Amino acid sequence: MSEPVLLLAQRAKEASRVLGVSSLQVRNDALDAMAACLREDAEAIIAANERDVAAAREKGTKDSLIDRLALDAARIEGIAHALEELRALPEVLNVVQQERTMYNGMQLQRVSVPLGVVAMVYEARPNVTADAAGICVKTGNACILRGGSLAFNSCMAITDSLRRALLKVGLPADCVQMVQSSDRSATDELLHARGLVDLLIPRGGAGLINHCVENATVPIIETGTGNCHVYVEASADLSIAKNILINAKCRRYGVCNAAETLLVDASIASAFLPEACAALAEKGVAMHCDDASYAIASEVPGAVVTHATEEDWATEYLAPEIAIRCVSGVEEAVGHINTYGTMHSEAIVTNSDEAAAYFQRNVDASSVYVNAPTSFTDGGEFGLGAEIGISTQKLHARGPFALEALTSYKYLITGTGQVR
């Protein structure tokens, strides 16, 4: 029998008051213990994950989502190592951000503090359980986790391990809790837990994120669906462009920083697309093309090519599929991206400083690349440590966000008897 969500939230609030004033040493010791317990419990976690993977395959789940779901010894070691990397990051709590003497002689400081209770709603990625818990512990925040039904057994096994680790260092186990119901009503309870949940972060597909954004009465950070683009401008080195395209699209299909649309200057389409489409076809990527690119791609042996619809320009495939469109130049490319993109990650390949500057200045996205693939949008790659998400909104956090985004601040004022 699962526990009521509001009861979990109340216990998390109580635990947050202990965790929020704990020392950096205690929180770092907790991260070490969490990593150690994950390694000790690896066999049990893998066994739980195997049940999830088997059930997902029976449901006909896409291979790209199975890849996100599956755990093995190497992936668990990676999860544990990420917690240890968090330990090595500097303290973000109790940092004096501002300090000054007021007009009346009182001393004022602005100091960073935890948010309190962070709720995380996510889908079939069990590694997020440990990443989110670790980031929250490092920042002094209790967390309530609500994993997807496909990963239920995996998430519960990881959570049990993390809670055992917290007790070892004298912290409340309720600093990390997992919602044990897969019913959407459990998510809705979190969305409306005002006064208990200080921040909610949805991480998953467009349906999940839109539901949370449209229904939440607690503060929320919208993490990204990633309809990302690679634009090959007329002056680009075509060999570099092909490598960037293949890395952005094919490194992993089921991740939000994967490229979903290729834009190509029409003036170089006949020079670039035959080799680019052949490379995509070799990887098994189906292509949804506008008329100009269809005429070229359809001549490539082995290519799976269809005519693109309006829906294709707005689709996050998370699969070996890509949309392709020819454009007249950088202005049309930027216009297309700002119309159909999700403000996640966008890339231009060019040898023109002017085109690069125009693209970076005018594209509205959290991460804008010149001559590099969108696959670099990642907290670890940006030096932030394990990320808790990639924000596609503009308030509080934008792009990959981690420790600092889970803090707020308060003012500390010291007087000597002044009155107003």
Side-chain angles (χ1 to χ4, degrees):
M1 186 74 176
S2 60
E3 292 185 89
V5 171
L6 289 182
L7 179 59
L8 297 184
Q10 289 164 0
R11 296 212 313 257
K13 180 63 77 173
E14 293 171 6
S16 73
R17 296 190 176 103
V18 177
L19 180 60
V21 296
S22 64
S23 68
L24 175 62
Q25 184 64 55
V26 167
R27 286 178 276 122
N28 281 343
D29 288 347
L31 292 169
D32 282 340
M34 291 159 74
C37 285
L38 287 176
R39 293 185 175 107
E40 292 169 9
D41 298 338
E43 287 187 12
I45 294 169
I46 290 171
N49 181 252
E50 286 173 348
R51 295 197 297 274
D52 287 334
V53 170
R57 291 194 189 282
E58 286 181 9
K59 293 177 180 177
T61 304
K62 292 190 297 186
D63 286 344
S64 58
L65 293 182
I66 294 289
D67 177 58
R68 283 184 166 194
L69 172 62
L71 295 175
D72 55 22
R75 285 192 173 181
I76 290 175
E77 176 56 34
I79 293 168
H81 183 65
L83 291 170
E84 292 171 334
E85 288 183 328
L86 273 175
R87 187 200 195 288
L89 294 175
E91 173 71 294
V92 294
L93 298 181
N94 307 309
V95 175
V96 178
Q97 300 172 338
Q98 295 179 13
E99 188 171 21
R100 64 180 181 272
T101 301
M102 296 170 62
Y103 71 94
N104 56 7
M106 293 194 300
Q107 302 299 310
L108 180 144
Q109 291 182 327
R110 196 176 87 176
V111 179
S112 58
V113 297
L115 292 173
V117 176
V118 175
M120 183 87 173
V121 181
Y122 52 102
E123 293 179 336
R125 297 186 68 169
N127 63 294
V128 173
T129 304
D131 288 348
I135 292 170
C136 286
V137 167
K138 179 75 174 188
T139 55
N141 294 292
C143 63
I144 305 171
L145 307 172
R146 201 296 200 176
S149 57
L150 281 179
F152 179 79
N153 294 299
S154 309
C155 293
M156 286 304 304
I158 291 171
T159 301
D160 289 345
S161 187
L162 300 179
R163 285 169 62 85
R164 183 165 68 88
L166 291 168
L167 291 174
K168 283 189 172 186
V169 300
L171 288 171
D174 289 337
C175 291
V176 176
Q177 298 187 76
M178 175 66 64
V179 175
Q180 297 182 25
S181 170
S182 59
D183 194 278
R184 173 170 275 190
S185 63
T187 298
D188 290 342
E189 285 188 72
L190 285 175
L191 295 177
H192 298 110
R194 285 177 62 97
L196 295 173
V197 171
D198 296 285
L199 175 69
L200 186 136
I201 304 168
R203 185 168 169 177
L208 169 67
I209 292 169
N210 289 339
H211 177 78
C212 291
V213 170
E214 291 166 7
N215 292 281
T217 58
V218 300
I220 189 168
I221 293 179
E222 182 177 353
T223 64
T225 50
N227 186 20
C228 307
H229 300 71
V230 172
Y231 164 50
V232 182
E233 192 266 337
S235 67
D237 181 307
L238 301 189
S239 176
I240 289 175
K242 184 178 75 171
N243 290 340
I244 286 173
L245 168 65
I246 297 303
N247 184 260
K249 177 65 220 178
C250 303
R251 188 187 73 88
R252 288 183 70 184
Y253 296 117
V255 292
C256 60
N257 59 17
E260 305 290 18
T261 299
L262 167 65
L263 302 175
V264 185
D265 266 12
S267 62
I268 60 166
S270 60
F272 177 68
L273 283 178
E275 283 196 28
C277 292
L280 290 168
E282 185 178 342
K283 295 286 188 179
V285 177
M287 291 160 260
H288 306 273
C289 300
D290 71 344
D291 290 343
S293 61
Y294 184 93
I296 299 171
S298 60
E299 297 296 319
V300 174
V304 177
V305 185
T306 60
H307 288 283
T309 66
E310 181 72 13
E311 183 180 357
D312 283 305
W313 307 132
T315 297
E316 182 189 28
Y317 295 108
L318 298 174
E321 299 180 62
I322 194 168
I324 304 176
R325 182 179 181 181
C326 295
V327 295
S328 60
V330 65
E331 291 186 14
E332 186 178 358
V334 168
H336 179 101
I337 290 168
N338 286 343
T339 299
Y340 298 103
T342 53
M343 297 193 290
H344 194 294
S345 302
E346 308 295 352
I348 182 175
V349 188
T350 182
N351 279 321
S352 165
D353 292 340
E354 182 179 358
Y358 181 90
F359 189 85
Q360 287 196 308
R361 185 172 60 250
N362 287 281
V363 164
D364 189 6
S366 74
S367 302
V368 185
Y369 295 86
V370 172
N371 295 329
T374 56
S375 50
F376 280 106
T377 303
D378 176 83
E381 295 291 334
F382 282 18
L384 303 175
E387 71 187 30
I388 200 164
I390 297 173
S391 170
T392 54
Q393 64 186 45
K394 298 180 181 180
L395 291 180
H396 184 65
R398 195 176 200 196
F401 65 99
L403 302 181
E404 289 188 3
L406 296 192
T407 67
S408 183
Y409 56 80
K410 64 182 176 183
Y411 289 99
L412 306 179
I413 306 97
T414 302
T416 56
Q418 294 93 332
V419 294
R420 182 177 178 183

